[in-house]
Amino acid sequence: MPPPNDPYPSHDSPFTSVSSFPITLKFTDVSYRIKVERHGAKGGRLRRMFWSGSGPTSSSSDLENQTTPHDERTILSGITGMVHPGEILAVLGPSGSGKSTLLNALAGRLQLQGFTGTVLANNRKLSKPVLKRTGFVSQDDVLYPHLTVRETLIFCALLRLPGSLPKRDKIATAESVIAELGLEKCENTIIGNAFVRGVSGGERKRVSIAHEMLINPSLLILDEPTSGLDSTAAFRLVSTLRSLAQKGKTVLTSVHQPSSRVYQMFSSVLVLSEGRSLYFGKGNEAMSYFESVGFSPSFPMNPADFLLDLANGVCQHDGVVSEKDRPSVKQKLVSSYNSILAPKVKAACMEGTPTLASSHNVSSSSCPKTNANNKQRSFIFSSTWLNQFYVLLHRGLKERRHDTFNALRVFQVVAAALLAGAMWWHSDYTDVQDRLGLLFFISIFWGVFPSFNAAFAFPQERAVFVKERASGMYTLSSYFVARVVGDLPMELILPTLFITILYWMAGLKPEILAFVFTLLVVLGYVVVSQGLGLFLGAVIMDAKQASTVATVTMLAFVLTGGFYVHRVPPCLAWIKYISTTFYCYRLLIDVQYGEGRGISSLLGCERRSTAGCKFVRDDIQGQIHPATSVAVLVLMFLGYRLVAYLALRRIKA
C-alpha cells in the first residue's frame, strides 16, 4: 500500500482502486506558442510532404491566431482555472479560440517546447499515474468502421486492461460499460462511417467515451463531444457526462454552441477568445458578471449564445456592431477579466485542495465498491507484448477482411484473370514473344495492385494509431508486426485465385511443379510490392501523395523491367537493379524456359535467326541466376518493412 500522504498509488499496486483517488485539476497561466515556417521558405513544401505525420498536436483551427513578428503564433495566453471531482467544467469559445489546445495541454499531450504554465493534479505536477487515470476523448470519433460496438469495446478492454486479468473478466468489464452508457440496443451494430451505414452520431460518440470509461478514469477530458449532434442527442450525451461526474469523476469538456438546457448542466464555464480568457466561474453567474461590466443582451436568450457572441466581439444579439468595433469589444472584455476575475481565480487555485466530501456534493455512488467488477476496472492497465500482438492481429483480420474481399476487388482480380486468359488462350510454347508478354503482364499487375493498395494502409489508420498509442494501449512493434502478419493471408488469397485461373487458361508449362513455382514467385513478389507500398505510405503519411509516388515508382520499375526496353540508357540502368518487377520477371521466365536451351533447340536458333530467337537471346539466355533474384527479393521484403517501421517511430503519439 502507498503511504498515507501519497495521493497516487505505486505502479507496484495494481489492485488499487482508481475511484479511491479523485483528481482536482488546477491550471495556472497556461500559455502555448508555436514557431511557424516563414512564407516561401525553401524546402517547406517538400518537407511537409514527407514529414506530415510529425507536426504539432494542436488542432488546425487553433492555428488561425495572429502571427507575431518573430514568426510565432500564440495559441494560449495565461489561461487559469480549476475543476473538482463531481463537477463539469465547460470550455466555450469560437473556432480558433484555443479550446482543443488547452485540453491537450491539460491532458499532458502537448509538446513541451513553447508550453509554459503550471498544471497540477491534487496539487502535484502531472505524472504517469495521473495520466493513466485520465481519459481523453478527441473531437473526431476515431473508430474502426467495420467492427460492431461490442467488438470495438471488447478489443479495447483486451488491450487496455492488465494481462493478469482473465479474458472473461475483461469481456465482463466491456459489457458493464456498454450497459452504463446505454449502448445495449446498438451493441451488435457496426460503427460505420461516411460510406458505411452504422450507429448514429450520438451512439458513436458514446462509444468513444466508453473507450475511456473501460479504465474507470478519475479525470475525463472531452474535446467537443456534442459536435455534429442535434439538440436532443447533445442533451442526452451531457446528461451521461453529468451522471459520471456525480460518481466522483472530474469532467472537463469543450463545447462549441450548447443549447440552454445543456448549458444549465455545467458546474463552471471558461470562455476563451483568441487564446485569452474572458470569463471563468460558475455557469449560472456568467450573465450577471458580463452585465456588471456593461454587456447584456437586448432580450432574454440562451446564455451560451450570448457568451459566444461576446467571444466573437459582438455585443448585441442582433449583431449590429461594425467590424472595427469588434477588437475594442474583445479588448474591453479581456481587460475586465484581468482586473476583476483573474486575481480571484488565481487566489482560488493557490488554496489547498478541498476534500471530495466536504465541498462538492458528490453522490454516495462515488465511493469505491468492493465487488469483483469494480476491481477489474481499477487495475493499472498493462498488457504483454504477445497479448497485444494476438488482440491486434485478431482485430485487424476482422476489420480488413471487408476491404480485402469486397465484391469490387474480387471482381477486379477475377475479371483481369479471365480477360488475360482469353487473350493468351492456350498460347504456344514456341511463341516466345507472346509468352514473355504474358509473364510481364503478370509482373505488372501484381506489382502495381498491391503496392498501390498498401500505400493507403498507414495514412488511413494514422488517426487510430496515434490515439491508441497516446492511450498506451500497445507498443509500436506489436502493432507493426500484427499489421504485417495479418496482411499476409488476406493479400495472398486473391493472387492465388488469379494465377490458378490464368495459368491453365493460358496453357503455360503443363506441370504441377512449374505451376507451384510460378505461384510462389508471384506470392513472394506480392508481399515485396506490398512492402514497397507500406514503406511509401509510412514515410509520406498522406494517402494521395503516397499513391502518386507509388504509381511513379512502379512506372519506373516497369519501364526498366527488361521487356519493353533492352538497352536502357546508362544513366537509368541502375533503376533495373532496384526494380521489383525486373526480378519477378526473371524468375517467371526461369520457371517456364530455364536457361533457354530447350526452346532454343526447338526454334533452331543455332542454324537461323528469327524474331523468337531474338527474344531467347535478349530475354532468356545470359541473365542473372535465379538464386540472386530470390535473395534480392528477400532483402527488399525485409528492407521495405524495416524502413516503414522506422518511419512510424517518428510519429508522436
Side-chain angles (χ1 to χ4, degrees):
M1 291 293 293
N5 60 348
D6 187 354
Y8 310 114
S10 168
H11 283 286
D12 299 327
S13 304
F15 296 93
T16 308
S17 174
V18 172
S19 49
S20 299
F21 296 92
I23 291 177
T24 295
L25 187 70
K26 298 180 179 180
F27 45 100
T28 307
D29 292 328
V30 172
S31 299
Y32 188 60
R33 293 183 178 181
I34 61 170
K35 293 183 179 180
V36 295
E37 188 177 274
R38 287 182 180 272
H39 181 69
K42 293 183 178 180
R45 200 179 200 123
L46 187 63
R47 184 160 54 252
R48 285 192 300 272
M49 175 179 174
F50 285 95
W51 295 95
S52 57
S54 57
T57 56
S58 305
S59 66
S60 59
S61 62
D62 290 336
L63 302 182
E64 298 173 1
N65 295 309
Q66 189 174 358
T67 304
T68 68
H70 302 288
D71 291 321
E72 287 186 341
R73 286 183 179 174
T74 300
I75 310 300
L76 297 173
S77 179
I79 309 301
T80 300
M82 71 180 76
V83 56
H84 303 288
E87 293 183 345
I88 301 179
L89 169 60
V91 183
L92 275 65
S95 298
S97 59
K99 301 188 300 295
S100 296
T101 304
L102 176 62
L103 296 187
N104 277 285
L106 300 182
R109 297 190 174 207
L110 275 189
Q111 296 178 1
L112 293 179
Q113 185 178 4
F115 174 77
T116 58
T118 304
V119 181
L120 301 176
N122 293 352
N123 286 340
R124 296 197 176 191
K125 292 184 178 180
L126 295 182
S127 59
K128 287 186 178 180
V130 175
L131 297 179
K132 284 182 177 292
R133 289 168 176 79
T134 300
F136 186 89
V137 181
S138 60
Q139 182 175 350
D140 299 321
D141 299 315
V142 184
L143 303 166
Y144 285 106
H146 294 105
L147 297 180
T148 65
V149 170
R150 179 182 171 82
E151 289 171 342
T152 298
L153 295 179
I154 286 179
F155 282 128
C156 182
L158 293 176
L159 287 169
R160 298 193 73 171
L161 296 177
S164 58
L165 198 65
K167 181 178 179 180
R168 64 178 180 275
D169 291 341
K170 294 181 181 181
I171 295 175
T173 301
E175 290 173 344
S176 69
V177 170
I178 289 174
E180 185 176 10
L181 294 180
L183 294 169
E184 301 100 321
K185 293 183 179 179
C186 63
E187 64 177 332
N188 294 317
T189 305
I190 64 171
I191 299 297
N193 56 20
F195 306 102
V196 181
R197 186 173 182 179
V199 297
S200 67
E203 291 168 336
R204 189 178 296 116
K205 182 60 67 176
R206 275 185 282 164
V207 173
S208 297
I209 296 174
H211 248 268
E212 304 305 317
M213 291 305 300
L214 287 169
I215 61 166
N216 197 20
S218 298
L219 173 63
L220 185 61
I221 300 177
L222 308 97
D223 190 2
E224 298 203 18
T226 60
S227 179
L229 303 182
D230 59 56
S231 177
T232 301
F235 176 75
R236 290 175 179 170
L237 181 63
V238 178
S239 297
T240 301
L241 296 179
R242 183 175 64 174
S243 67
L244 295 176
Q246 290 173 345
K247 294 177 181 179
K249 301 185 187 304
T250 304
V251 180
L252 175 62
T253 180
S254 62
V255 187
H256 182 62
Q257 197 164 8
S259 64
S260 56
R261 57 178 180 168
V262 167
Y263 180 85
Q264 297 301 321
M265 288 188 283
F266 298 145
S267 308
S268 51
V269 172
L270 171 63
V271 183
L272 298 180
S273 176
E274 297 180 354
R276 296 174 294 181
S277 296
L278 301 186
Y279 175 79
F280 176 80
K282 294 182 179 180
N284 56 12
E285 296 177 357
M287 298 295 284
S288 58
Y289 163 74
F290 285 110
E291 184 176 358
S292 68
V293 296
F295 296 94
S296 60
S298 55
F299 57 86
M301 59 182 296
N302 178 4
D305 291 338
F306 178 66
L307 296 182
L308 286 174
D309 281 348
L310 293 179
N312 282 299
V314 178
C315 60
Q316 293 186 12
H317 178 61
D318 56 12
V320 181
V321 63
S322 64
E323 290 294 328
K324 65 180 181 179
D325 290 335
R326 294 193 181 208
S328 62
V329 170
K330 294 179 182 180
Q331 187 60 41
K332 183 177 179 181
L333 290 168
V334 171
S335 177
S336 298
Y337 174 83
N338 290 336
S339 60
I340 299 174
L341 284 183
K344 298 179 181 178
V345 175
K346 288 185 179 181
C349 288
M350 296 301 293
E351 295 177 358
T353 305
T355 60
L356 178 64
S358 63
S359 301
H360 302 293
N361 211 15
V362 180
S363 68
S364 59
S365 61
S366 65
C367 299
K369 300 179 181 179
T370 58
N371 58 44
N373 191 48
N374 189 69
K375 279 188 177 182
Q376 295 161 16
R377 295 173 60 186
S378 64
F379 291 159
I380 296 177
F381 51 90
S382 60
S383 184
T384 64
W385 191 94
L386 285 177
N387 181 67
Q388 294 170 11
F389 169 75
Y390 172 77
V391 175
L392 291 170
L393 178 62
H394 188 195
R395 185 180 71 174
L397 291 174
K398 277 201 166 188
E399 169 62 24
R400 292 194 295 278
R401 66 185 177 183
H402 299 277
D403 291 331
T404 303
F405 301 116
N406 68 65
L408 189 61
R409 181 172 292 189
V410 174
F411 170 77
Q412 181 181 11
V413 171
V414 173
L418 293 175
L419 180 60
M423 292 290 294
W424 278 278
W425 177 258
H426 287 183
S427 60
D428 190 350
Y429 179 74
T430 60
D431 193 346
V432 179
Q433 182 176 357
D434 279 1
R435 280 288 183 95
L436 295 183
L438 171 60
L439 299 180
F440 198 70
F441 165 74
I442 295 173
S443 301
I444 294 175
F445 188 83
W446 289 110
V448 174
F449 190 71
S451 63
F452 187 83
N453 290 329
F456 288 84
F458 292 130
Q460 288 180 339
E461 287 195 1
R462 179 181 181 273
V464 177
F465 170 73
V466 170
K467 171 196 167 185
E468 294 181 341
R469 287 272 290 133
S471 299
M473 290 177 63
Y474 46 75
T475 62
L476 173 60
S477 60
S478 62
Y479 165 80
F480 186 81
V481 175
R483 173 80 206 204
V484 171
V485 173
D487 282 346
L488 292 180
M490 293 192 294
E491 294 296 333
L492 298 182
I493 292 176
L494 290 182
T496 300
L497 178 63
F498 178 90
I499 293 298
T500 303
I501 295 173
L502 177 59
Y503 192 91
W504 304 109
M505 286 185 67
L508 294 174
K509 198 173 184 179
E511 297 176 6
I512 293 298
L513 197 58
F515 167 74
V516 172
F517 282 151
T518 300
L519 179 59
L520 290 176
V521 169
V522 172
L523 294 183
Y525 178 51
V526 166
V527 297
V528 172
S529 299
Q530 183 193 41
L532 173 63
L534 293 175
F535 151 66
L536 293 175
V539 170
I540 300 174
M541 264 301 164
D542 182 276
K544 291 183 179 179
Q545 293 176 355
S547 62
T548 300
V549 175
T551 302
V552 174
T553 302
M554 289 307 304
L555 177 62
F557 286 177
V558 166
L559 291 177
T560 57
F563 179 77
Y564 293 127
V565 182
H566 293 103
R567 297 176 181 175
V568 181
C571 61
L572 299 176
W574 61 271
I575 300 178
K576 176 175 68 175
Y577 298 105
I578 64 171
S579 169
T580 56
T581 306
F582 171 75
Y583 295 106
C584 174
Y585 180 51
R586 303 312 317 164
L587 288 172
L588 291 176
I589 291 175
D590 187 76
V591 171
Q592 296 298 314
Y593 292 106
E595 295 180 357
R597 294 193 184 97
I599 187 63
S600 179
S601 299
L602 285 175
L603 296 176
C605 294
E606 296 84 358
R607 302 182 303 274
R608 56 180 179 166
S609 179
T610 62
C613 292
K614 183 178 185 303
F615 273 89
V616 171
R617 289 192 303 270
D618 293 343
D619 289 68
I620 299 176
Q621 296 177 339
Q623 298 294 333
I624 61 176
H625 195 274
T628 303
S629 297
V630 172
V632 173
L633 288 177
V634 170
L635 288 176
M636 289 181 174
F637 170 81
L638 298 174
Y640 285 143
R641 284 166 172 78
L642 176 61
V643 176
Y645 174 78
L646 296 176
L648 288 179
R649 291 187 61 182
R650 67 182 167 81
I651 300 178
K652 293 178 172 56

